[in-house]
Short mmCIF file of all heavy atoms in Angstrom, two decimals:
data_model
loop_
_atom_site.label_atom_id
_atom_site.label_comp_id
_atom_site.label_asym_id
_atom_site.label_seq_id
_atom_site.Cartn_x
_atom_site.Cartn_y
_atom_site.Cartn_z
N MET A 1094 -128.73 -34.30 -145.71
CA MET A 1094 -129.89 -34.61 -144.85
C MET A 1094 -129.41 -34.83 -143.42
O MET A 1094 -128.40 -35.49 -143.21
CB MET A 1094 -130.57 -35.87 -145.37
CG MET A 1094 -131.50 -35.57 -146.52
SD MET A 1094 -132.95 -36.59 -146.56
CE MET A 1094 -132.26 -38.17 -147.05
N PRO A 1095 -130.13 -34.28 -142.46
CA PRO A 1095 -129.74 -34.50 -141.07
C PRO A 1095 -129.95 -35.95 -140.66
O PRO A 1095 -130.95 -36.56 -141.01
CB PRO A 1095 -130.65 -33.56 -140.28
CG PRO A 1095 -131.78 -33.22 -141.19
CD PRO A 1095 -131.30 -33.42 -142.60
N GLU A 1096 -129.00 -36.46 -139.93
CA GLU A 1096 -129.05 -37.85 -139.50
C GLU A 1096 -129.07 -37.91 -137.98
O GLU A 1096 -128.33 -37.18 -137.33
CB GLU A 1096 -127.82 -38.58 -140.04
CG GLU A 1096 -127.78 -40.04 -139.69
CD GLU A 1096 -126.43 -40.67 -140.03
OE1 GLU A 1096 -125.95 -40.48 -141.15
OE2 GLU A 1096 -125.87 -41.33 -139.16
N CYS A 1097 -129.90 -38.79 -137.44
CA CYS A 1097 -129.92 -38.94 -135.99
C CYS A 1097 -128.64 -39.61 -135.54
O CYS A 1097 -128.30 -40.69 -136.00
CB CYS A 1097 -131.13 -39.77 -135.57
SG CYS A 1097 -131.15 -40.09 -133.80
N GLN A 1098 -127.93 -38.94 -134.63
CA GLN A 1098 -126.64 -39.48 -134.19
C GLN A 1098 -126.82 -40.66 -133.24
O GLN A 1098 -125.85 -41.32 -132.91
CB GLN A 1098 -125.84 -38.38 -133.52
CG GLN A 1098 -126.55 -37.75 -132.34
CD GLN A 1098 -125.77 -36.59 -131.77
OE1 GLN A 1098 -124.58 -36.68 -131.57
NE2 GLN A 1098 -126.45 -35.49 -131.51
N TYR A 1099 -128.04 -40.90 -132.82
CA TYR A 1099 -128.26 -41.96 -131.84
C TYR A 1099 -128.77 -43.25 -132.46
O TYR A 1099 -128.60 -44.31 -131.89
CB TYR A 1099 -129.24 -41.48 -130.77
CG TYR A 1099 -128.81 -40.19 -130.13
CD1 TYR A 1099 -129.58 -39.04 -130.25
CD2 TYR A 1099 -127.60 -40.13 -129.43
CE1 TYR A 1099 -129.17 -37.85 -129.68
CE2 TYR A 1099 -127.17 -38.95 -128.87
CZ TYR A 1099 -127.97 -37.82 -128.99
OH TYR A 1099 -127.54 -36.64 -128.45
N CYS A 1100 -129.44 -43.17 -133.59
CA CYS A 1100 -129.95 -44.41 -134.19
C CYS A 1100 -129.76 -44.45 -135.70
O CYS A 1100 -130.08 -45.43 -136.34
CB CYS A 1100 -131.43 -44.61 -133.83
SG CYS A 1100 -132.55 -43.49 -134.65
N GLY A 1101 -129.22 -43.37 -136.29
CA GLY A 1101 -128.88 -43.41 -137.70
C GLY A 1101 -130.02 -43.15 -138.66
O GLY A 1101 -129.85 -43.26 -139.87
N LYS A 1102 -131.19 -42.79 -138.13
CA LYS A 1102 -132.30 -42.49 -139.03
C LYS A 1102 -132.08 -41.16 -139.72
O LYS A 1102 -131.51 -40.25 -139.14
CB LYS A 1102 -133.61 -42.46 -138.24
CG LYS A 1102 -134.20 -43.84 -138.09
CD LYS A 1102 -135.56 -43.76 -137.43
CE LYS A 1102 -136.04 -45.15 -137.06
NZ LYS A 1102 -136.88 -45.16 -135.88
N TRP A 1103 -132.61 -41.06 -140.92
CA TRP A 1103 -132.46 -39.82 -141.67
C TRP A 1103 -133.77 -39.04 -141.66
O TRP A 1103 -134.84 -39.62 -141.66
CB TRP A 1103 -132.10 -40.13 -143.11
CG TRP A 1103 -130.64 -40.35 -143.29
CD1 TRP A 1103 -129.75 -40.79 -142.34
CD2 TRP A 1103 -129.89 -40.17 -144.49
NE1 TRP A 1103 -128.51 -40.88 -142.89
CE2 TRP A 1103 -128.56 -40.51 -144.19
CE3 TRP A 1103 -130.23 -39.74 -145.77
CZ2 TRP A 1103 -127.56 -40.44 -145.16
CZ3 TRP A 1103 -129.23 -39.66 -146.72
CH2 TRP A 1103 -127.91 -40.00 -146.41
N PHE A 1104 -133.62 -37.72 -141.67
CA PHE A 1104 -134.80 -36.88 -141.68
C PHE A 1104 -134.67 -35.81 -142.74
O PHE A 1104 -133.58 -35.39 -143.08
CB PHE A 1104 -134.99 -36.25 -140.29
CG PHE A 1104 -135.29 -37.29 -139.25
CD1 PHE A 1104 -134.26 -37.93 -138.59
CD2 PHE A 1104 -136.58 -37.67 -138.99
CE1 PHE A 1104 -134.52 -38.92 -137.66
CE2 PHE A 1104 -136.86 -38.66 -138.08
CZ PHE A 1104 -135.83 -39.29 -137.41
N ARG A 1105 -135.85 -35.40 -143.23
CA ARG A 1105 -135.83 -34.43 -144.32
C ARG A 1105 -135.48 -33.05 -143.80
O ARG A 1105 -134.89 -32.24 -144.51
CB ARG A 1105 -137.19 -34.40 -145.02
CG ARG A 1105 -137.08 -34.99 -146.42
CD ARG A 1105 -138.42 -35.06 -147.07
NE ARG A 1105 -139.33 -35.87 -146.25
CZ ARG A 1105 -140.53 -36.25 -146.63
NH1 ARG A 1105 -140.97 -35.88 -147.81
NH2 ARG A 1105 -141.29 -36.97 -145.88
N THR A 1106 -135.86 -32.76 -142.57
CA THR A 1106 -135.59 -31.44 -142.02
C THR A 1106 -134.91 -31.56 -140.66
O THR A 1106 -135.03 -32.57 -139.98
CB THR A 1106 -136.90 -30.65 -141.84
OG1 THR A 1106 -137.73 -31.37 -140.92
CG2 THR A 1106 -137.63 -30.49 -143.16
N LYS A 1107 -134.22 -30.49 -140.29
CA LYS A 1107 -133.58 -30.45 -138.98
C LYS A 1107 -134.64 -30.50 -137.89
O LYS A 1107 -134.43 -31.05 -136.83
CB LYS A 1107 -132.78 -29.15 -138.85
CG LYS A 1107 -131.40 -29.24 -139.51
CD LYS A 1107 -130.39 -28.51 -138.66
CE LYS A 1107 -128.97 -28.78 -139.15
NZ LYS A 1107 -128.45 -27.69 -139.96
N ARG A 1108 -135.80 -29.90 -138.19
CA ARG A 1108 -136.86 -29.88 -137.20
C ARG A 1108 -137.41 -31.28 -136.97
O ARG A 1108 -137.71 -31.67 -135.86
CB ARG A 1108 -137.98 -28.94 -137.66
CG ARG A 1108 -138.64 -28.23 -136.49
CD ARG A 1108 -139.46 -27.08 -136.99
NE ARG A 1108 -140.55 -27.60 -137.80
CZ ARG A 1108 -141.82 -27.24 -137.65
NH1 ARG A 1108 -142.14 -26.35 -136.75
NH2 ARG A 1108 -142.74 -27.76 -138.41
N GLY A 1109 -137.53 -32.04 -138.06
CA GLY A 1109 -138.01 -33.40 -137.94
C GLY A 1109 -137.06 -34.22 -137.08
O GLY A 1109 -137.50 -35.03 -136.26
N LEU A 1110 -135.77 -34.00 -137.28
CA LEU A 1110 -134.76 -34.70 -136.50
C LEU A 1110 -134.88 -34.34 -135.02
O LEU A 1110 -134.85 -35.20 -134.15
CB LEU A 1110 -133.37 -34.35 -137.02
CG LEU A 1110 -132.19 -34.79 -136.16
CD1 LEU A 1110 -132.08 -36.30 -136.13
CD2 LEU A 1110 -130.89 -34.20 -136.69
N LYS A 1111 -135.05 -33.05 -134.77
CA LYS A 1111 -135.15 -32.59 -133.39
C LYS A 1111 -136.36 -33.21 -132.70
O LYS A 1111 -136.29 -33.66 -131.55
CB LYS A 1111 -135.28 -31.06 -133.37
CG LYS A 1111 -134.32 -30.42 -132.39
CD LYS A 1111 -134.41 -28.92 -132.48
CE LYS A 1111 -133.91 -28.31 -131.17
NZ LYS A 1111 -133.98 -26.85 -131.20
N GLN A 1112 -137.48 -33.23 -133.43
CA GLN A 1112 -138.69 -33.81 -132.88
C GLN A 1112 -138.49 -35.29 -132.59
O GLN A 1112 -138.94 -35.80 -131.58
CB GLN A 1112 -139.85 -33.62 -133.85
CG GLN A 1112 -140.49 -32.26 -133.71
CD GLN A 1112 -141.53 -32.01 -134.79
OE1 GLN A 1112 -141.70 -32.83 -135.69
NE2 GLN A 1112 -142.20 -30.89 -134.71
N HIS A 1113 -137.83 -35.97 -133.52
CA HIS A 1113 -137.58 -37.40 -133.35
C HIS A 1113 -136.72 -37.64 -132.10
O HIS A 1113 -137.03 -38.51 -131.30
CB HIS A 1113 -136.87 -37.95 -134.59
CG HIS A 1113 -136.10 -39.20 -134.32
ND1 HIS A 1113 -136.71 -40.43 -134.20
CD2 HIS A 1113 -134.78 -39.41 -134.10
CE1 HIS A 1113 -135.77 -41.34 -133.94
NE2 HIS A 1113 -134.60 -40.75 -133.89
N ILE A 1114 -135.66 -36.85 -131.93
CA ILE A 1114 -134.78 -37.03 -130.77
C ILE A 1114 -135.56 -36.81 -129.48
O ILE A 1114 -135.46 -37.59 -128.54
CB ILE A 1114 -133.57 -36.08 -130.87
CG1 ILE A 1114 -132.63 -36.57 -131.98
CG2 ILE A 1114 -132.82 -36.04 -129.53
CD1 ILE A 1114 -131.44 -35.67 -132.23
N THR A 1115 -136.37 -35.75 -129.48
CA THR A 1115 -137.14 -35.47 -128.28
C THR A 1115 -138.10 -36.62 -127.96
O THR A 1115 -138.23 -37.04 -126.83
CB THR A 1115 -137.95 -34.17 -128.47
OG1 THR A 1115 -137.05 -33.13 -128.79
CG2 THR A 1115 -138.71 -33.82 -127.20
N LYS A 1116 -138.73 -37.14 -129.03
CA LYS A 1116 -139.74 -38.18 -128.83
C LYS A 1116 -139.10 -39.53 -128.54
O LYS A 1116 -139.57 -40.29 -127.70
CB LYS A 1116 -140.61 -38.28 -130.09
CG LYS A 1116 -142.03 -38.70 -129.78
CD LYS A 1116 -142.88 -38.59 -131.03
CE LYS A 1116 -142.39 -39.53 -132.10
NZ LYS A 1116 -143.22 -39.51 -133.33
N ALA A 1117 -138.00 -39.83 -129.24
CA ALA A 1117 -137.49 -41.20 -129.19
C ALA A 1117 -136.30 -41.36 -128.25
O ALA A 1117 -136.06 -42.46 -127.76
CB ALA A 1117 -137.09 -41.64 -130.60
N HIS A 1118 -135.56 -40.31 -128.01
CA HIS A 1118 -134.31 -40.51 -127.28
C HIS A 1118 -134.20 -39.74 -125.97
O HIS A 1118 -133.14 -39.67 -125.38
CB HIS A 1118 -133.12 -40.15 -128.17
CG HIS A 1118 -133.03 -40.97 -129.41
ND1 HIS A 1118 -132.99 -42.34 -129.40
CD2 HIS A 1118 -133.01 -40.62 -130.71
CE1 HIS A 1118 -132.92 -42.79 -130.64
NE2 HIS A 1118 -132.95 -41.76 -131.46
N THR A 1119 -135.30 -39.13 -125.55
CA THR A 1119 -135.23 -38.45 -124.26
C THR A 1119 -136.30 -39.01 -123.34
O THR A 1119 -137.27 -39.61 -123.78
CB THR A 1119 -135.43 -36.92 -124.38
OG1 THR A 1119 -136.72 -36.66 -124.90
CG2 THR A 1119 -134.38 -36.30 -125.27
N THR A 1120 -136.08 -38.81 -122.10
CA THR A 1120 -137.04 -39.27 -121.10
C THR A 1120 -137.30 -38.13 -120.13
O THR A 1120 -136.44 -37.29 -119.89
CB THR A 1120 -136.51 -40.52 -120.37
OG1 THR A 1120 -137.52 -41.00 -119.52
CG2 THR A 1120 -135.27 -40.22 -119.58
N GLU A 1121 -138.52 -38.11 -119.59
CA GLU A 1121 -138.89 -37.01 -118.70
C GLU A 1121 -138.47 -37.36 -117.27
O GLU A 1121 -138.84 -38.39 -116.74
CB GLU A 1121 -140.42 -36.82 -118.77
CG GLU A 1121 -140.89 -35.60 -118.03
CD GLU A 1121 -141.05 -34.42 -118.97
OE1 GLU A 1121 -141.66 -34.58 -120.04
OE2 GLU A 1121 -140.56 -33.33 -118.63
N ILE A 1122 -137.67 -36.47 -116.70
CA ILE A 1122 -137.24 -36.67 -115.32
C ILE A 1122 -137.93 -35.62 -114.46
O ILE A 1122 -137.88 -34.44 -114.79
CB ILE A 1122 -135.70 -36.50 -115.21
CG1 ILE A 1122 -135.03 -37.53 -116.14
CG2 ILE A 1122 -135.25 -36.62 -113.76
CD1 ILE A 1122 -134.09 -38.47 -115.48
N PRO A 1123 -138.58 -36.04 -113.41
CA PRO A 1123 -139.28 -35.06 -112.57
C PRO A 1123 -138.33 -33.97 -112.09
O PRO A 1123 -137.23 -34.27 -111.64
CB PRO A 1123 -139.80 -35.90 -111.39
CG PRO A 1123 -139.84 -37.30 -111.91
CD PRO A 1123 -138.74 -37.41 -112.94
N PHE A 1124 -138.75 -32.74 -112.23
CA PHE A 1124 -138.03 -31.55 -111.78
C PHE A 1124 -136.78 -31.24 -112.62
O PHE A 1124 -136.16 -30.21 -112.43
CB PHE A 1124 -137.62 -31.66 -110.30
CG PHE A 1124 -138.76 -32.09 -109.42
CD1 PHE A 1124 -138.74 -33.31 -108.77
CD2 PHE A 1124 -139.88 -31.27 -109.26
CE1 PHE A 1124 -139.79 -33.72 -107.98
CE2 PHE A 1124 -140.94 -31.67 -108.47
CZ PHE A 1124 -140.89 -32.90 -107.83
N SER A 1125 -136.40 -32.12 -113.52
CA SER A 1125 -135.22 -31.84 -114.33
C SER A 1125 -135.57 -31.60 -115.79
O SER A 1125 -134.73 -31.16 -116.57
CB SER A 1125 -134.23 -33.01 -114.26
OG SER A 1125 -133.95 -33.32 -112.93
N GLY A 1126 -136.80 -31.97 -116.17
CA GLY A 1126 -137.17 -31.82 -117.57
C GLY A 1126 -136.74 -33.03 -118.37
O GLY A 1126 -136.53 -34.11 -117.83
N ARG A 1127 -136.59 -32.82 -119.68
CA ARG A 1127 -136.24 -33.93 -120.56
C ARG A 1127 -134.73 -34.09 -120.65
O ARG A 1127 -134.00 -33.13 -120.85
CB ARG A 1127 -136.82 -33.70 -121.94
CG ARG A 1127 -138.33 -33.59 -121.94
CD ARG A 1127 -138.90 -33.89 -123.31
NE ARG A 1127 -138.91 -35.32 -123.55
CZ ARG A 1127 -139.92 -36.12 -123.24
NH1 ARG A 1127 -140.99 -35.63 -122.70
NH2 ARG A 1127 -139.85 -37.40 -123.48
N VAL A 1128 -134.28 -35.32 -120.52
CA VAL A 1128 -132.86 -35.61 -120.67
C VAL A 1128 -132.71 -36.77 -121.63
O VAL A 1128 -133.61 -37.57 -121.82
CB VAL A 1128 -132.19 -35.97 -119.33
CG1 VAL A 1128 -132.19 -34.79 -118.38
CG2 VAL A 1128 -132.87 -37.17 -118.70
N LEU A 1129 -131.53 -36.85 -122.25
CA LEU A 1129 -131.26 -37.95 -123.17
C LEU A 1129 -131.31 -39.29 -122.43
O LEU A 1129 -130.82 -39.41 -121.31
CB LEU A 1129 -129.89 -37.77 -123.81
CG LEU A 1129 -129.84 -36.76 -124.96
CD1 LEU A 1129 -128.41 -36.45 -125.33
CD2 LEU A 1129 -130.59 -37.27 -126.18
N ASP A 1130 -131.89 -40.28 -123.08
CA ASP A 1130 -132.02 -41.59 -122.48
C ASP A 1130 -131.14 -42.59 -123.25
O ASP A 1130 -131.49 -43.02 -124.33
CB ASP A 1130 -133.48 -42.02 -122.53
CG ASP A 1130 -133.68 -43.37 -121.86
OD1 ASP A 1130 -132.69 -43.97 -121.41
OD2 ASP A 1130 -134.83 -43.82 -121.81
N PRO A 1131 -130.00 -42.93 -122.68
CA PRO A 1131 -129.05 -43.79 -123.41
C PRO A 1131 -129.61 -45.16 -123.76
O PRO A 1131 -129.10 -45.81 -124.66
CB PRO A 1131 -127.86 -43.93 -122.44
CG PRO A 1131 -128.03 -42.81 -121.47
CD PRO A 1131 -129.50 -42.55 -121.37
N THR A 1132 -130.65 -45.60 -123.05
CA THR A 1132 -131.20 -46.93 -123.35
C THR A 1132 -131.91 -46.94 -124.70
O THR A 1132 -132.19 -47.99 -125.25
CB THR A 1132 -132.17 -47.38 -122.26
OG1 THR A 1132 -133.26 -46.47 -122.21
CG2 THR A 1132 -131.49 -47.48 -120.91
N THR A 1133 -132.21 -45.76 -125.24
CA THR A 1133 -132.91 -45.70 -126.52
C THR A 1133 -131.91 -45.61 -127.68
O THR A 1133 -132.31 -45.67 -128.84
CB THR A 1133 -133.83 -44.47 -126.59
OG1 THR A 1133 -133.03 -43.29 -126.55
CG2 THR A 1133 -134.82 -44.46 -125.45
N PHE A 1134 -130.63 -45.46 -127.36
CA PHE A 1134 -129.64 -45.32 -128.42
C PHE A 1134 -129.47 -46.64 -129.15
O PHE A 1134 -129.52 -47.70 -128.54
CB PHE A 1134 -128.28 -44.87 -127.86
CG PHE A 1134 -128.32 -43.50 -127.26
CD1 PHE A 1134 -127.19 -42.98 -126.65
CD2 PHE A 1134 -129.47 -42.73 -127.30
CE1 PHE A 1134 -127.21 -41.72 -126.08
CE2 PHE A 1134 -129.50 -41.46 -126.73
CZ PHE A 1134 -128.36 -40.97 -126.11
N ASP A 1135 -129.25 -46.55 -130.44
CA ASP A 1135 -129.11 -47.76 -131.25
C ASP A 1135 -127.90 -47.57 -132.18
O ASP A 1135 -128.05 -47.40 -133.38
CB ASP A 1135 -130.39 -47.99 -132.05
CG ASP A 1135 -130.33 -49.29 -132.85
OD1 ASP A 1135 -129.40 -50.09 -132.62
OD2 ASP A 1135 -131.18 -49.49 -133.72
N PHE A 1136 -126.72 -47.60 -131.59
CA PHE A 1136 -125.52 -47.34 -132.37
C PHE A 1136 -125.26 -48.46 -133.38
O PHE A 1136 -124.77 -48.22 -134.47
CB PHE A 1136 -124.32 -47.16 -131.45
CG PHE A 1136 -124.39 -45.91 -130.63
CD1 PHE A 1136 -124.46 -45.97 -129.26
CD2 PHE A 1136 -124.42 -44.66 -131.25
CE1 PHE A 1136 -124.55 -44.81 -128.49
CE2 PHE A 1136 -124.51 -43.51 -130.49
CZ PHE A 1136 -124.57 -43.58 -129.12
N LEU A 1137 -125.60 -49.67 -132.96
CA LEU A 1137 -125.41 -50.80 -133.87
C LEU A 1137 -126.32 -50.63 -135.09
O LEU A 1137 -125.89 -50.81 -136.23
CB LEU A 1137 -125.73 -52.10 -133.14
CG LEU A 1137 -125.11 -53.35 -133.75
CD1 LEU A 1137 -123.61 -53.37 -133.48
CD2 LEU A 1137 -125.76 -54.60 -133.18
N GLY A 1138 -127.56 -50.29 -134.84
CA GLY A 1138 -128.49 -50.06 -135.94
C GLY A 1138 -128.02 -48.92 -136.82
O GLY A 1138 -128.12 -48.98 -138.04
N ALA A 1139 -127.48 -47.89 -136.19
CA ALA A 1139 -126.97 -46.75 -136.95
C ALA A 1139 -125.82 -47.19 -137.84
O ALA A 1139 -125.74 -46.79 -139.00
CB ALA A 1139 -126.51 -45.65 -135.99
N MET A 1140 -124.96 -48.02 -137.29
CA MET A 1140 -123.83 -48.51 -138.07
C MET A 1140 -124.31 -49.35 -139.26
O MET A 1140 -123.81 -49.23 -140.36
CB MET A 1140 -122.92 -49.36 -137.18
CG MET A 1140 -121.72 -48.61 -136.67
SD MET A 1140 -120.90 -49.45 -135.30
CE MET A 1140 -120.50 -51.03 -136.02
N GLU A 1141 -125.29 -50.20 -138.98
CA GLU A 1141 -125.82 -51.05 -140.05
C GLU A 1141 -126.47 -50.21 -141.14
O GLU A 1141 -126.30 -50.47 -142.33
CB GLU A 1141 -126.85 -52.02 -139.47
CG GLU A 1141 -126.19 -53.27 -138.92
CD GLU A 1141 -127.16 -54.10 -138.11
OE1 GLU A 1141 -128.38 -53.83 -138.15
OE2 GLU A 1141 -126.69 -55.01 -137.42
N ARG A 1142 -127.23 -49.19 -140.73
CA ARG A 1142 -127.88 -48.34 -141.72
C ARG A 1142 -126.84 -47.60 -142.56
O ARG A 1142 -126.99 -47.43 -143.76
CB ARG A 1142 -128.80 -47.34 -141.03
CG ARG A 1142 -130.23 -47.85 -140.97
CD ARG A 1142 -131.13 -46.83 -140.35
NE ARG A 1142 -131.06 -46.90 -138.89
CZ ARG A 1142 -131.88 -47.62 -138.16
NH1 ARG A 1142 -132.84 -48.30 -138.71
NH2 ARG A 1142 -131.76 -47.66 -136.86
N ARG A 1143 -125.77 -47.17 -141.88
CA ARG A 1143 -124.72 -46.45 -142.60
C ARG A 1143 -124.06 -47.38 -143.62
O ARG A 1143 -123.77 -47.01 -144.74
CB ARG A 1143 -123.67 -45.96 -141.59
CG ARG A 1143 -123.30 -44.51 -141.81
CD ARG A 1143 -122.59 -43.95 -140.61
NE ARG A 1143 -123.51 -43.34 -139.65
CZ ARG A 1143 -123.28 -43.29 -138.34
NH1 ARG A 1143 -122.21 -43.81 -137.83
NH2 ARG A 1143 -124.15 -42.69 -137.55
N GLU A 1144 -123.82 -48.62 -143.17
CA GLU A 1144 -123.21 -49.63 -144.02
C GLU A 1144 -124.10 -49.90 -145.23
O GLU A 1144 -123.64 -50.00 -146.36
CB GLU A 1144 -123.00 -50.90 -143.20
CG GLU A 1144 -122.27 -52.00 -143.94
CD GLU A 1144 -120.77 -51.71 -144.07
OE1 GLU A 1144 -120.31 -50.69 -143.51
OE2 GLU A 1144 -120.10 -52.51 -144.72
N GLU A 1145 -125.40 -50.01 -144.97
CA GLU A 1145 -126.36 -50.25 -146.05
C GLU A 1145 -126.28 -49.18 -147.11
O GLU A 1145 -126.26 -49.44 -148.30
CB GLU A 1145 -127.78 -50.28 -145.47
CG GLU A 1145 -128.24 -51.67 -145.07
CD GLU A 1145 -128.24 -52.63 -146.25
OE1 GLU A 1145 -128.94 -52.33 -147.23
OE2 GLU A 1145 -127.54 -53.65 -146.19
N ARG A 1146 -126.23 -47.94 -146.66
CA ARG A 1146 -126.19 -46.83 -147.61
C ARG A 1146 -124.90 -46.87 -148.42
O ARG A 1146 -124.89 -46.59 -149.60
CB ARG A 1146 -126.29 -45.49 -146.85
CG ARG A 1146 -127.72 -45.15 -146.51
CD ARG A 1146 -127.83 -43.69 -146.13
NE ARG A 1146 -127.10 -43.38 -144.90
CZ ARG A 1146 -127.64 -43.43 -143.70
NH1 ARG A 1146 -128.90 -43.73 -143.56
NH2 ARG A 1146 -126.94 -43.15 -142.64
N ARG A 1147 -123.81 -47.23 -147.73
CA ARG A 1147 -122.52 -47.29 -148.40
C ARG A 1147 -122.56 -48.36 -149.50
O ARG A 1147 -122.08 -48.16 -150.61
CB ARG A 1147 -121.44 -47.62 -147.38
CG ARG A 1147 -120.05 -47.17 -147.80
CD ARG A 1147 -119.10 -47.24 -146.61
NE ARG A 1147 -119.07 -48.60 -146.06
CZ ARG A 1147 -118.19 -49.53 -146.45
NH1 ARG A 1147 -117.28 -49.24 -147.32
NH2 ARG A 1147 -118.21 -50.73 -145.93
N LYS A 1148 -123.15 -49.51 -149.16
CA LYS A 1148 -123.22 -50.61 -150.10
C LYS A 1148 -124.06 -50.23 -151.31
O LYS A 1148 -123.76 -50.59 -152.43
CB LYS A 1148 -123.84 -51.83 -149.40
CG LYS A 1148 -122.78 -52.80 -148.90
CD LYS A 1148 -123.45 -54.07 -148.43
CE LYS A 1148 -123.14 -54.36 -146.98
NZ LYS A 1148 -124.14 -55.16 -146.32
N ARG A 1149 -125.16 -49.49 -151.03
CA ARG A 1149 -126.05 -49.13 -152.12
C ARG A 1149 -125.37 -48.16 -153.07
O ARG A 1149 -125.61 -48.15 -154.25
CB ARG A 1149 -127.33 -48.52 -151.55
CG ARG A 1149 -128.56 -49.27 -152.00
CD ARG A 1149 -129.79 -48.70 -151.34
NE ARG A 1149 -129.85 -49.07 -149.93
CZ ARG A 1149 -130.43 -48.32 -148.99
NH1 ARG A 1149 -130.95 -47.18 -149.29
NH2 ARG A 1149 -130.47 -48.74 -147.75
N ARG A 1150 -124.52 -47.29 -152.49
CA ARG A 1150 -123.89 -46.26 -153.32
C ARG A 1150 -122.82 -46.88 -154.22
O ARG A 1150 -122.74 -46.60 -155.39
CB ARG A 1150 -123.28 -45.20 -152.41
CG ARG A 1150 -123.14 -43.87 -153.13
CD ARG A 1150 -122.86 -42.77 -152.12
NE ARG A 1150 -121.73 -43.11 -151.29
CZ ARG A 1150 -121.64 -42.82 -149.99
NH1 ARG A 1150 -122.61 -42.19 -149.39
NH2 ARG A 1150 -120.59 -43.14 -149.29
N LYS A 1151 -122.00 -47.74 -153.61
CA LYS A 1151 -120.93 -48.37 -154.36
C LYS A 1151 -121.18 -49.87 -154.39
O LYS A 1151 -121.33 -50.48 -153.34
CB LYS A 1151 -119.58 -48.08 -153.70
CG LYS A 1151 -119.08 -46.70 -154.03
CD LYS A 1151 -117.71 -46.49 -153.43
CE LYS A 1151 -117.24 -45.08 -153.72
NZ LYS A 1151 -116.08 -44.71 -152.93
N LYS A 1152 -121.21 -50.40 -155.54
CA LYS A 1152 -121.47 -51.84 -155.64
C LYS A 1152 -120.21 -52.63 -155.34
O LYS A 1152 -119.13 -52.30 -155.83
CB LYS A 1152 -122.00 -52.18 -157.03
CG LYS A 1152 -123.49 -51.93 -157.10
CD LYS A 1152 -124.11 -52.52 -158.34
CE LYS A 1152 -125.62 -52.24 -158.29
NZ LYS A 1152 -126.17 -52.07 -159.61
N GLY A 1153 -120.37 -53.66 -154.53
CA GLY A 1153 -119.25 -54.52 -154.21
C GLY A 1153 -118.41 -53.97 -153.07
O GLY A 1153 -118.60 -52.83 -152.66
N PRO A 1154 -117.51 -54.78 -152.58
CA PRO A 1154 -116.64 -54.34 -151.48
C PRO A 1154 -115.65 -53.27 -151.94
O PRO A 1154 -115.32 -53.20 -153.11
CB PRO A 1154 -115.93 -55.62 -151.03
CG PRO A 1154 -116.03 -56.55 -152.20
CD PRO A 1154 -117.24 -56.16 -152.98
N LEU A 1155 -115.20 -52.48 -150.97
CA LEU A 1155 -114.30 -51.39 -151.32
C LEU A 1155 -112.87 -51.86 -151.51
O LEU A 1155 -112.07 -51.18 -152.11
CB LEU A 1155 -114.34 -50.32 -150.22
CG LEU A 1155 -115.61 -49.46 -150.21
CD1 LEU A 1155 -115.63 -48.58 -148.98
CD2 LEU A 1155 -115.68 -48.59 -151.44
N TRP A 1156 -112.57 -53.03 -150.91
CA TRP A 1156 -111.19 -53.49 -151.00
C TRP A 1156 -111.00 -54.58 -152.04
O TRP A 1156 -111.95 -55.18 -152.46
CB TRP A 1156 -110.73 -53.98 -149.62
CG TRP A 1156 -111.70 -54.91 -148.99
CD1 TRP A 1156 -111.80 -56.25 -149.15
CD2 TRP A 1156 -112.74 -54.54 -148.09
NE1 TRP A 1156 -112.83 -56.73 -148.41
CE2 TRP A 1156 -113.41 -55.74 -147.75
CE3 TRP A 1156 -113.16 -53.31 -147.53
CZ2 TRP A 1156 -114.50 -55.74 -146.88
CZ3 TRP A 1156 -114.25 -53.34 -146.67
CH2 TRP A 1156 -114.90 -54.54 -146.36
ZN1 LIG B 1258 -132.87 -41.54 -133.45
#
């Protein structure tokens, strides 16, 4: 499944992911079009979501 590299959300289709990035992670700049907006990035949330999935897959700590 495609995963948003900016906030860790998962999408069923690549198109859904693309739409999400356009809607959630870009901002409209006059005369330049849409550009990525770093203030919308949620790397911490992405890390937490990744961790959650890891925990769900394997029970207990890995070490
Ligand atoms: Zn995202």
Side-chain angles (χ1 to χ4, degrees):
M1094 278 214 288
E1096 181 190 311
C1097 176
Q1098 57 184 315
Y1099 306 116
C1100 71
K1102 275 186 190 149
W1103 277 26
F1104 295 87
R1105 250 175 302 189
T1106 61
K1107 278 218 170 101
R1108 214 165 65 131
L1110 169 66
K1111 228 176 157 180
Q1112 276 173 356
H1113 157 78
I1114 288 176
T1115 303
K1116 211 172 63 177
H1118 299 305
T1119 62
T1120 185
E1121 188 96 48
I1122 301 238
F1124 311 114
S1125 307
R1127 300 201 78 90
V1128 294
L1129 281 169
D1130 182 358
T1132 62
T1133 65
F1134 295 176
D1135 183 12
F1136 292 117
L1137 202 73
M1140 261 165 58
E1141 275 168 12
R1142 265 183 278 267
R1143 227 164 269 151
E1144 185 75 4
E1145 268 300 302
R1146 278 196 295 269
R1147 203 167 57 92
K1148 263 189 238 154
R1149 237 176 287 150
R1150 204 166 54 217
K1151 281 184 182 167
K1152 277 192 178 148
L1155 285 172
W1156 49 86

